[in-house]
Amino acid sequence: MKNIAKVFVAAAVVLGCSSTSSFAQATATASATANIITPITIALVTNMNFGNIAVSPTSGGTVVLGTGNSRTSTGGVTLPSTTGTVASASFTVSGTASFTYAITLPSSATLSDGASHTMTMGTFTSSPSSTGTLSSGGTQTLTVGATLTVAAAQAPNSYSNATAVPVTVNYN
């Protein structure tokens, strides 16, 4: 009889433990969401143009084109009063309203007259500088300027770049 009592007590303990462990579990659920935003885009509005430039036969220099269509010269470079077309590059950046974006400018680009004469652009600047914020309408104007290096006695001609000058934007 003692053995039967021990078996019943052992069975009760085992059943009690297993029923307790089934109550030790809990489950919760979560939902998942995603928000697809408008892709960021950039569209050219105006090409960059340094205008008319005169250079000394003995001394080169630079033309600095600012982001607001202004320009200055250094060294043996002068800017005639007949300016020609002077324009900073202008772009429209579009995307999701109020988002910020990063701006990546090239390090240099080469202008050529189609013959063997070249000039180099560098020190690109932008407005806004390095990052921008899209308006509540989801757009912003981005302007780009650069510094053009002109050699002494640079050959007279019309110069342009054979390859595009990439301006890249991406969401932060």
Side-chain angles (χ1 to χ4, degrees), residues 11-164:
V13 169
V14 169
L15 287 175
C17 289
S18 64
S19 66
T20 302
S21 66
S22 68
F23 292 118
Q25 279 184 295
T27 301
T29 61
S31 63
T33 60
N35 184 32
I36 306 300
I37 61 173
T38 304
I40 193 165
T41 61
I42 184 170
L44 175 67
V45 175
T46 307
N47 283 307
M48 186 179 295
N49 195 327
F50 287 89
N52 293 330
I53 302 165
V55 63
S56 162
T58 59
S59 177
T62 63
V63 178
V64 178
L65 178 62
T67 58
N69 300 324
S70 64
R71 63 189 183 146
T72 59
S73 63
T74 66
V77 172
T78 57
L79 304 173
S81 59
T82 305
T83 61
T85 302
V86 176
S88 308
S90 177
F91 302 89
T92 298
V93 179
S94 301
T96 300
S98 303
F99 272 51
T100 60
Y101 62 94
I103 302 162
T104 304
L105 302 172
S107 58
S108 67
T110 302
L111 300 179
S112 171
D113 66 353
S116 60
H117 307 108
T118 61
M119 294 185 288
T120 302
M121 286 190 303
T123 316
F124 287 85
T125 59
S126 68
S127 178
S129 173
S130 71
T131 60
T133 302
L134 297 172
S135 69
S136 59
T139 64
Q140 185 173 45
T141 298
L142 168 66
T143 56
V144 176
T147 300
L148 179 67
T149 302
V150 183
Q154 185 77 46
N157 211 336
S158 179
Y159 290 75
S160 62
N161 58 314
T163 58

